[in-house]
Amino acid sequence: MSEETEKDAPKKPAGRRKFELDPRLASYKGVWVFVEHERGVAHTVSWELMGEGRKLADKLGVPLAGVVMGAPGIQTRRFCEEAFHYGADLCYLMEDPLMADYRNQPFTKGLTDLVNAYQPEILLLGATTLGRDLAGSVATTLQTGLTADCTELNIDMENRSLAATRPTFGGSLLCTIVTLNYRPQMATVRPRVMSLPKPDMTRTGSIVEHALGMTESEIVTKVLEYIPDNLQGKPQLPFADIIVAGGRGMKRPENFQLIWDLAKVLGAEVGATRPIVQAGWVELDRQVGQSGKTVRPKLYIAAGISGAIQHRVGMDASDVIIAINSDPNAPIFDFATYGIVGNAMTILPALTEAFRQQLATLKVAV
């Protein structure tokens, strides 16, 4: 080929370098979900992850498994049955009196042993207090990667990699992380980020039992007493059907009363952005966003909220989002179901009164 012809020839796109998995890791197959439970009740994040794990397993063409660890008894085994109802094909069960209460040491050893014995390619845990503690320890003992607080999970079918998306750079961007030459690929997801699948009570599966092989003398920590959190009277945003939230567009703390007024009429919870919490207008339990609560209400009313990614990741899974903002170019209008351009201090009282009259009419009709 002449020099002129070489110059005129179209350049091929660089493309990605072909990835080849270490042959030693090729035997790792399957998607696992750690089933978190406490005092006889499974955490709903486990079933949310089971629904997401089912999608990943179907894409990979592999089984979905639950991992249940706890004290021996019918109660612990019942969690395996629940895992089947929510999509698991099988369940790895580890029963031992040492696992009656969560302690990092026995649970880390138990989950590490299970992974080494049965070799899953993906392991998912809830980003709860317990899940974060356990996931970090297990990833360390297995010397594998862990992507925390994910908002989306997918499979790169070109190399069977878990593509885990999470906020980064202070929440200003979303990045997708892959753990290529390590197995299992681990990720944690906060409660309410993924939708809760509908259980199929007819589904069954097989149970694989595995012993812990540990004695009490090997465990440094001891459980002296169980003291439950006192959540009575505390905001329960992750489970609210309706949330009215305010941001910096409310201007002054006295204006935030308009948020409370509308929430009272609707029987809703009150939420807020991080700047509002930092300013002391509301308590920390009402913060929605990356560093606050993740919510999935049927209705989310956002007043004076710009819609920055830090807030969006905590609420954009809401069924219906109504945004009120004086800036027509506010990012929140890009993903809101309905947008109202205007002064929140004028619109909120009008909405409150309209809802009050409508609800009063409905009560009279009933």
Side-chain angles (χ1 to χ4, degrees):
M1 183 180 290
S2 66
E3 184 177 345
E4 289 78 7
T5 307
E6 288 179 354
K7 288 180 180 179
D8 296 336
K11 294 182 178 179
K12 295 181 180 180
R16 292 190 300 178
R17 186 173 61 183
K18 184 174 176 59
F19 167 75
E20 293 185 7
L21 183 66
D22 187 325
R24 293 172 297 178
L25 302 177
S27 60
Y28 282 71
K29 300 291 182 186
V31 178
W32 286 13
V33 173
F34 175 77
V35 178
E36 179 180 339
H37 59 91
E38 187 176 46
R39 305 294 160 178
V41 179
H43 200 300
T44 54
V45 71
S46 303
W47 309 138
E48 293 164 5
L49 285 176
M50 201 66 74
E52 199 65 20
R54 182 71 268 166
K55 299 174 189 175
L56 301 178
D58 289 345
K59 285 184 179 180
L60 290 168
V62 297
L64 171 66
V67 179
V68 174
M69 308 166 79
I74 298 175
Q75 186 67 59
T76 302
R77 287 180 173 267
R78 183 173 61 83
F79 294 126
C80 290
E81 300 301 321
E82 286 191 72
F84 300 146
H85 297 161
Y86 281 100
D89 300 306
L90 70 156
C91 192
Y92 293 97
L93 175 64
M94 184 172 284
E95 292 181 298
D96 195 288
L98 300 181
M99 291 178 157
D101 293 288
Y102 175 74
R103 288 181 286 178
N104 180 274
Q105 219 172 334
F107 274 72
T108 296
K109 180 185 184 301
L111 190 50
T112 300
D113 288 351
L114 283 171
V115 168
N116 286 331
Y118 302 103
Q119 300 183 329
E121 55 193 311
I122 293 174
L123 173 58
L124 306 177
L125 299 92
T128 60
T129 302
L130 185 158
R132 285 170 170 152
D133 181 68
L134 180 59
S137 298
V138 171
T140 300
T141 57
L142 293 172
Q143 296 186 335
T144 189
L146 167 64
T147 308
D149 287 357
C150 299
T151 57
E152 184 181 349
L153 300 174
N154 212 329
I155 299 294
D156 183 344
M157 291 306 298
E158 186 176 324
N159 49 38
R160 296 179 64 89
S161 297
L162 175 67
T165 301
R166 71 176 309 277
T168 188
F169 292 109
S172 58
L173 293 173
L174 290 172
C175 70
T176 299
I177 298 171
V178 291
T179 307
L180 293 175
N181 238 334
Y182 296 89
R183 291 295 184 271
Q185 303 160 95
M186 293 182 61
T188 63
V189 179
R190 288 198 295 180
R192 305 294 283 171
V193 169
M194 307 300 183
S195 60
L196 182 68
K198 185 177 180 180
D200 180 355
M201 308 307 288
T202 65
R203 292 190 87 261
T204 59
S206 59
I207 296 177
V208 179
E209 299 187 43
H210 195 98
L212 172 62
M214 198 174 193
T215 63
E216 181 65 45
S217 61
E218 298 175 79
I219 306 173
V220 175
T221 55
K222 311 297 176 186
V223 178
L224 302 179
E225 184 181 3
Y226 174 77
I227 304 174
D229 290 335
N230 182 15
L231 298 178
Q232 189 173 3
K234 295 276 189 178
Q236 297 295 315
L237 266 69
F239 306 100
D241 284 335
I242 305 175
I243 296 174
V244 183
R248 280 186 293 192
M250 297 306 295
K251 305 295 185 184
R252 296 191 296 273
E254 54 267 28
N255 292 337
F256 207 83
Q257 182 60 43
L258 299 174
I259 300 290
W260 289 98
D261 293 343
L262 179 56
K264 183 177 180 180
V265 170
L266 294 175
E269 282 281 10
V270 170
T273 59
R274 184 169 64 179
I276 296 302
V277 172
Q278 291 177 332
W281 296 9
V282 296
E283 63 267 43
L284 180 61
D285 287 336
R286 298 195 180 278
Q287 182 177 325
V288 177
Q290 182 193 0
S291 52
K293 299 288 192 301
T294 301
V295 299
R296 298 181 68 95
K298 295 176 181 176
L299 174 62
Y300 190 91
I301 301 177
I305 295 175
S306 65
I309 189 67
Q310 293 95 327
H311 187 74
R312 177 176 179 173
V313 296
M315 48 69 74
D316 68 352
S318 305
D319 291 347
V320 175
I321 300 171
I322 298 176
I324 305 169
N325 202 294
S326 58
D327 179 7
N329 298 314
I332 197 166
F333 289 130
D334 294 335
F335 60 91
T337 313
Y338 303 101
I340 303 174
V341 179
N343 190 328
M345 274 61 78
T346 302
I347 295 170
L348 283 173
L351 278 178
T352 302
E353 185 57 31
F355 278 122
R356 183 182 287 114
Q357 293 180 11
Q358 183 66 24
L359 291 172
T361 302
L362 291 174
K363 286 180 181 179
V364 171
V366 173

